[in-house]
PDB file of all heavy atoms in Angstrom:
ATOM      1  N   LYS Y 189     -10.914  26.403  11.753  1.00 92.00           N
ATOM      2  CA  LYS Y 189     -11.825  26.684  10.649  1.00 92.00           C
ATOM      3  C   LYS Y 189     -13.168  26.000  10.901  1.00 92.00           C
ATOM      4  O   LYS Y 189     -13.271  25.080  11.721  1.00 92.00           O
ATOM      5  CB  LYS Y 189     -11.224  26.182   9.343  1.00 92.00           C
ATOM      6  CG  LYS Y 189      -9.868  26.809   9.007  1.00 92.00           C
ATOM      7  CD  LYS Y 189      -9.245  26.194   7.760  1.00 92.00           C
ATOM      8  CE  LYS Y 189     -10.046  26.475   6.505  1.00 92.00           C
ATOM      9  NZ  LYS Y 189      -9.340  26.018   5.283  1.00 92.00           N
ATOM     10  N   LEU Y 269     -10.911  25.154  -2.541  1.00 96.00           N
ATOM     11  CA  LEU Y 269      -9.575  24.631  -2.293  1.00 96.00           C
ATOM     12  C   LEU Y 269      -9.589  23.718  -1.074  1.00 96.00           C
ATOM     13  O   LEU Y 269     -10.362  23.931  -0.131  1.00 96.00           O
ATOM     14  CB  LEU Y 269      -8.595  25.784  -2.077  1.00 96.00           C
ATOM     15  CG  LEU Y 269      -8.364  26.691  -3.292  1.00 96.00           C
ATOM     16  CD1 LEU Y 269      -7.519  27.898  -2.905  1.00 96.00           C
ATOM     17  CD2 LEU Y 269      -7.695  25.920  -4.431  1.00 96.00           C
ATOM     18  N   VAL Y 270      -8.738  22.711  -1.069  1.00 97.00           N
ATOM     19  CA  VAL Y 270      -8.760  21.704   0.001  1.00 97.00           C
ATOM     20  C   VAL Y 270      -7.684  22.007   1.031  1.00 97.00           C
ATOM     21  O   VAL Y 270      -6.725  22.742   0.782  1.00 97.00           O
ATOM     22  CB  VAL Y 270      -8.585  20.288  -0.572  1.00 97.00           C
ATOM     23  CG1 VAL Y 270      -9.636  20.018  -1.640  1.00 97.00           C
ATOM     24  CG2 VAL Y 270      -7.188  20.087  -1.147  1.00 97.00           C
ATOM     25  N   ASP Y 271      -7.846  21.380   2.201  1.00 97.00           N
ATOM     26  CA  ASP Y 271      -6.906  21.609   3.298  1.00 97.00           C
ATOM     27  C   ASP Y 271      -5.796  20.562   3.355  1.00 97.00           C
ATOM     28  O   ASP Y 271      -4.666  20.861   3.712  1.00 97.00           O
ATOM     29  CB  ASP Y 271      -7.667  21.617   4.629  1.00 97.00           C
ATOM     30  CG  ASP Y 271      -8.714  22.709   4.678  1.00 97.00           C
ATOM     31  OD1 ASP Y 271      -8.331  23.876   4.824  1.00 97.00           O
ATOM     32  OD2 ASP Y 271      -9.911  22.394   4.545  1.00 97.00           O
ATOM     33  N   LEU Y 290      -4.526  23.039  -3.142  1.00 97.00           N
ATOM     34  CA  LEU Y 290      -4.488  23.313  -1.703  1.00 97.00           C
ATOM     35  C   LEU Y 290      -4.802  24.765  -1.380  1.00 97.00           C
ATOM     36  O   LEU Y 290      -4.409  25.683  -2.108  1.00 97.00           O
ATOM     37  CB  LEU Y 290      -3.104  22.976  -1.136  1.00 97.00           C
ATOM     38  CG  LEU Y 290      -2.764  21.501  -0.927  1.00 97.00           C
ATOM     39  CD1 LEU Y 290      -1.291  21.359  -0.559  1.00 97.00           C
ATOM     40  CD2 LEU Y 290      -3.656  20.896   0.157  1.00 97.00           C
ATOM     41  N   ALA Y 291      -5.481  24.955  -0.263  1.00 96.00           N
ATOM     42  CA  ALA Y 291      -5.696  26.294   0.280  1.00 96.00           C
ATOM     43  C   ALA Y 291      -4.398  26.756   0.951  1.00 96.00           C
ATOM     44  O   ALA Y 291      -3.549  25.927   1.305  1.00 96.00           O
ATOM     45  CB  ALA Y 291      -6.837  26.259   1.306  1.00 96.00           C
ATOM     46  N   PRO Y 292      -4.195  28.065   1.131  1.00 94.00           N
ATOM     47  CA  PRO Y 292      -2.993  28.542   1.829  1.00 94.00           C
ATOM     48  C   PRO Y 292      -2.860  27.862   3.191  1.00 94.00           C
ATOM     49  O   PRO Y 292      -3.821  27.754   3.937  1.00 94.00           O
ATOM     50  CB  PRO Y 292      -3.254  30.046   1.972  1.00 94.00           C
ATOM     51  CG  PRO Y 292      -4.151  30.378   0.821  1.00 94.00           C
ATOM     52  CD  PRO Y 292      -5.044  29.184   0.652  1.00 94.00           C
ATOM     53  N   GLY Y 293      -1.654  27.388   3.487  1.00 93.00           N
ATOM     54  CA  GLY Y 293      -1.415  26.684   4.728  1.00 93.00           C
ATOM     55  C   GLY Y 293      -1.752  25.205   4.663  1.00 93.00           C
ATOM     56  O   GLY Y 293      -1.563  24.475   5.639  1.00 93.00           O
ATOM     57  N   GLY Y 294      -2.248  24.754   3.495  1.00 95.00           N
ATOM     58  CA  GLY Y 294      -2.634  23.359   3.341  1.00 95.00           C
ATOM     59  C   GLY Y 294      -1.442  22.410   3.289  1.00 95.00           C
ATOM     60  O   GLY Y 294      -0.286  22.835   3.163  1.00 95.00           O
ATOM     61  N   MET Y 295      -1.732  21.099   3.386  1.00 95.00           N
ATOM     62  CA  MET Y 295      -0.678  20.092   3.439  1.00 95.00           C
ATOM     63  C   MET Y 295      -0.910  18.992   2.418  1.00 95.00           C
ATOM     64  O   MET Y 295      -2.023  18.471   2.306  1.00 95.00           O
ATOM     65  CB  MET Y 295      -0.601  19.479   4.842  1.00 95.00           C
ATOM     66  CG  MET Y 295      -0.044  20.442   5.886  1.00 95.00           C
ATOM     67  SD  MET Y 295      -0.343  19.873   7.575  1.00 95.00           S
ATOM     68  CE  MET Y 295      -2.014  20.469   7.823  1.00 95.00           C
ATOM     69  N   MET Y 317       3.988  28.987  -2.540  1.00 96.00           N
ATOM     70  CA  MET Y 317       2.534  28.863  -2.535  1.00 96.00           C
ATOM     71  C   MET Y 317       1.952  28.864  -1.115  1.00 96.00           C
ATOM     72  O   MET Y 317       0.737  28.808  -0.948  1.00 96.00           O
ATOM     73  CB  MET Y 317       2.119  27.575  -3.243  1.00 96.00           C
ATOM     74  CG  MET Y 317       2.493  27.510  -4.720  1.00 96.00           C
ATOM     75  SD  MET Y 317       2.087  25.897  -5.460  1.00 96.00           S
ATOM     76  CE  MET Y 317       0.287  25.921  -5.326  1.00 96.00           C
ATOM     77  N   ASN Y 318       2.836  28.900  -0.109  1.00 96.00           N
ATOM     78  CA  ASN Y 318       2.415  28.861   1.295  1.00 96.00           C
ATOM     79  C   ASN Y 318       1.650  27.570   1.610  1.00 96.00           C
ATOM     80  O   ASN Y 318       0.627  27.580   2.263  1.00 96.00           O
ATOM     81  CB  ASN Y 318       1.555  30.083   1.641  1.00 96.00           C
ATOM     82  CG  ASN Y 318       1.277  30.176   3.143  1.00 96.00           C
ATOM     83  OD1 ASN Y 318       2.073  29.685   3.955  1.00 96.00           O
ATOM     84  ND2 ASN Y 318       0.151  30.785   3.513  1.00 96.00           N
ATOM     85  N   VAL Y 319       2.171  26.455   1.097  1.00 96.00           N
ATOM     86  CA  VAL Y 319       1.628  25.138   1.421  1.00 96.00           C
ATOM     87  C   VAL Y 319       2.783  24.248   1.871  1.00 96.00           C
ATOM     88  O   VAL Y 319       3.956  24.620   1.742  1.00 96.00           O
ATOM     89  CB  VAL Y 319       0.905  24.503   0.210  1.00 96.00           C
ATOM     90  CG1 VAL Y 319      -0.304  25.341  -0.189  1.00 96.00           C
ATOM     91  CG2 VAL Y 319       1.859  24.327  -0.966  1.00 96.00           C
ATOM     92  N   ASN Y 320       2.460  23.079   2.398  1.00 94.00           N
ATOM     93  CA  ASN Y 320       3.489  22.199   2.964  1.00 94.00           C
ATOM     94  C   ASN Y 320       3.422  20.808   2.346  1.00 94.00           C
ATOM     95  O   ASN Y 320       2.334  20.294   2.069  1.00 94.00           O
ATOM     96  CB  ASN Y 320       3.304  22.087   4.479  1.00 94.00           C
ATOM     97  CG  ASN Y 320       3.315  23.430   5.174  1.00 94.00           C
ATOM     98  OD1 ASN Y 320       4.365  24.028   5.356  1.00 94.00           O
ATOM     99  ND2 ASN Y 320       2.137  23.909   5.572  1.00 94.00           N
TER     100      ASN Y 320
END
Side-chain angles (χ1 to χ4, degrees):
K189 301 175 65 173
L269 295 172
V270 305
D271 300 286
L290 284 172
M295 289 165 277
M317 297 175 65
N318 188 27
V319 297
N320 304 284

